[in-house]
Amino acid sequence: MMRKNNKNLQLLCFLFFSTVFFSQKNVSLALSGGGAKGFAHIGVIKAIEEYGLHVDKVSGASMGALVGALYATGYSIEEIEDILRAFSGEDAVFGGLSRRDITITNKFNTLTPMIELGVEDYELKLPESLITDARINFLLMYHFSEISLKHSHNFKAFHRELTVASSDILNQKVEYFQSGNLSKILRGTIAFPVALSPFKYNGSLFADGGIYDNLPTKHFPDSDFVIAVNVGTKADTEASQIADVSDISLHLINILSSKSDSTHVQNWDVFIEPELGNVTSTSWNQIDEIIEKGYRETIKVFKQKGIQRQNRTILPVQMGYGSFEKRKISQVNISGLYRLSEAHIKSFLDIEEGSYFSWEDVKNGINRLYVNKLIKYFWVDFKLNDDGSLILDIELKEEILTRFGVGGYYSDILGNNVFAKIDFIGRLGKGETIGFVGTVGNTRNGFKIQAGVPNFIGLNLYEQFSTEFAHNRYIDLDKQDISQSYRETVLNIGLLLNRNMMIHGSVGFKSTTVNSDDDVKDKYKGFHVKASYDLDNLNDLFFPTSGHRMALSYGFNYLTDDQGKFKDINYNTFNYKYMNFGNFFSEKIIFSQEYQLNIVASTNNFKVPVYERKRIDLTRASLGYYDESLYGLHQAFLRYTLKLNITDKLYTYSSVSMKRQWDSYEKINLSSLSLKNIKKGYELGFYYPTAIGPVLLTYSTDEIVPNVYRFSVGYIF
């Protein structure tokens, strides 16, 4: 009986003193790394605050450092969850880059490489990481720059004292940061090997904090009560659990960190290790489940330890956020350039001295520089001038501006073609591009040199020069084997109205020979003058879900004899194309409409060259293929398509089209433009993107060519 009374007395004493302790003392919290498993920390913090425990100090490594920094700087649980979802989403992984940010002059390049590598000192260079860090860097600057600057980069001055563990891989040691540029320090500790490149800071190179200390508790010697949360994976992972490069990277980190594993030290009062089952460091689609498991495990451990709920509410305190956009920019400094000019970089940034600062402008500028492949690193450091204005120190690292790429496609309709190209960018410091492309296949063989210079003479003008030698082969309506050999040189000058729109004019010189069944059919020399308008804000070239594309052109073509004298023969061309893509009742359903009109008109009953007989362009955003029923001198075409997103990548689509073509070579007139005999067609297809380009399976039928099955893989060009 006495023993039972003693146990009850001890329990009452523990409950009493624990209640007094937590009401008077503060708590320290250590959070481990673990990739997606780090979302369990949110559940842990949620439980801690429900219990009314005030956390005074926070430490973390890798993902734990990111969660800890948000908590230490005063963000609420709801805000932390929303912010981390942005870091973990597809936009963060792939840089959040949009095709809309590509300057329209670069969109004219229709060659999409399967493999593209940098060339430096005559050697091919592999990418530094699997992930483009444009989006991640921006999010770090956006959420932490203002708070860090307001507190003079002193982490002890935050709402909760913060310590970040990061791995100094040059000196092979762990570094514990309690001061410095918070956003840069966090970028170092989340640098997961292979996936995200190491980060240079203060003369050293930093990577995943979990390499040397994945659960940093050593710096809490004066703490009254330490809660340690471990979501790291042990080094004894089974071979069956290693599925991809991220798993391999994590396993290597676990091996490296096993010798300095803080879980062996047990420098804590409460240890929480959620049972996450099959959850891995890349299980970004299980966030809700991971948070809930962290919460439940914490409640379970607190109950086991007899920790009592405290009668107080923990309020978030966000310090110093949102003030930048109220300040003017007094100075912009750019460093890290060695080929590109400051003027060229600033033309993409839209950041001007004397204007008010905007995070949206910074984000858009970063995206434009990355997606146009001008830089591979971008960072902004902020300083306050004496008058309260902002000084922006922009640090850049240029992309390897010489690039080699190869690509191609297989198609049972278009044949098989491959290409190799090399581009030299910014050698003159003006963002100019000089490219060399060679193409080999059973439908196209050729070589092209192209040079473009943006803003060479100012006024947003773009100048492009190209010369091409090529041999094309195709089948005409009469089932004749037609081949065209030509040499063409073109000078194109365009005025950019904005990044997605331009007007331009061109002058081109061409000599061509067209053969049919080994007999010379046409042989001409001549030149053209053409005016064009282009709009392109599609979010993707091969499978857009939103945006518009319009191309309008009118050209005059003059022919000469073999001596170069002008003949009294000429013809005109008119081309119009319009596409529109958008959601239809649901985000998973995309509706598109497409219109095309091509007219080739001779002014004097001249027989227009056979190479002007073109097919409707269905090889791009419309997903369709060249169809012999769409082949002629004059064409009108409209098409309506519904596309359904079956999974994240697999799409199916169905379309109905109406088409009309005219094959007359003679002078065009109103009767020739009659819309009689319009042909209808239907198509069903499946689309799936792969590492080597999209795979496309289609079935189509129309009144001219019924029941056609098609297959292709690769980027059509």
Side-chain angles (χ1 to χ4, degrees), residues 35 40 79 92 118 126 184 233 244 251 258 265 272 295 320 395 412 462 498 533 590 627 649 669 714:
E79 289 171 325
L126 294 173
K184 285 188 171 182
T233 304
D244 54 31
H251 189 61
S258 60
V265 180
I272 301 171
Y295 173 79
E395 184 183 353
D412 59 353
Y462 177 82
N498 56 48
Y533 166 84
I590 300 108
D627 193 326
K649 291 185 176 181
N669 51 50

Side-chain angles (χ1 to χ4, degrees), residues 239-416:
S240 60
Q241 297 175 306
I242 299 177
D244 54 31
V245 68
S246 62
D247 292 333
I248 295 172
S249 299
L250 182 62
H251 189 61
L252 292 174
I253 287 177
N254 293 330
I255 294 173
L256 290 169
S257 62
S258 60
K259 296 182 179 180
S260 58
D261 189 356
S262 301
T263 60
H264 301 307
V265 180
Q266 298 188 7
N267 187 24
W268 53 70
D269 299 284
V270 173
F271 182 71
I272 301 171
E273 191 169 45
E275 179 54 53
L276 297 176
N278 295 324
V279 172
T280 70
S281 62
T282 58
S283 299
W284 305 111
N285 59 340
Q286 297 176 258
I287 290 174
D288 293 332
E289 176 187 349
I290 298 170
I291 294 175
E292 183 64 21
K293 287 184 175 182
Y295 173 79
R296 290 180 182 176
E297 184 64 24
T298 305
I299 299 294
K300 175 185 173 182
V301 172
F302 281 5
K303 288 181 178 179
Q304 290 174 347
K305 294 289 186 178
I307 297 174
Q308 299 297 297
R309 294 178 183 266
Q310 309 300 304
N311 188 24
R312 62 180 175 184
T313 302
I314 309 300
L315 298 175
V317 180
Q318 236 187 74
M319 303 184 299
Y321 185 76
S323 64
F324 278 7
E325 299 204 349
K326 301 175 183 179
R327 302 178 185 272
K328 282 189 176 182
I329 301 171
S330 59
Q331 190 175 337
V332 179
N333 305 315
I334 298 177
S335 62
L337 298 176
Y338 69 102
R339 285 184 182 149
L340 300 176
S341 66
E342 283 195 19
H344 186 59
I345 294 297
K346 288 183 177 181
S347 69
F348 284 87
L349 289 177
D350 287 340
I351 299 175
E352 297 180 358
E353 296 176 355
S355 63
Y356 281 93
F357 177 81
S358 166
W359 280 112
E360 188 70 19
D361 288 344
V362 174
K363 182 184 71 172
N364 293 336
I366 292 174
N367 285 350
R368 285 191 290 268
L369 288 171
Y370 270 86
V371 79
N372 285 279
K373 298 181 179 180
L374 296 175
I375 64 167
K376 55 183 174 182
Y377 170 75
F378 184 104
W379 204 279
V380 183
D381 283 333
F382 300 89
K383 298 176 184 176
L384 290 180
N385 216 335
D386 294 337
D387 61 358
S389 61
L390 284 174
I391 300 173
L392 308 186
D393 290 331
I394 299 176
E395 184 183 353
L396 301 174
K397 187 176 182 180
E398 293 179 355
E399 184 63 85
I400 297 177
L401 298 175
T402 300
R403 293 191 290 269
F404 173 79
V406 295
Y409 62 84
Y410 166 82
S411 170
D412 59 353
I413 297 296
L414 295 177
N416 316 310

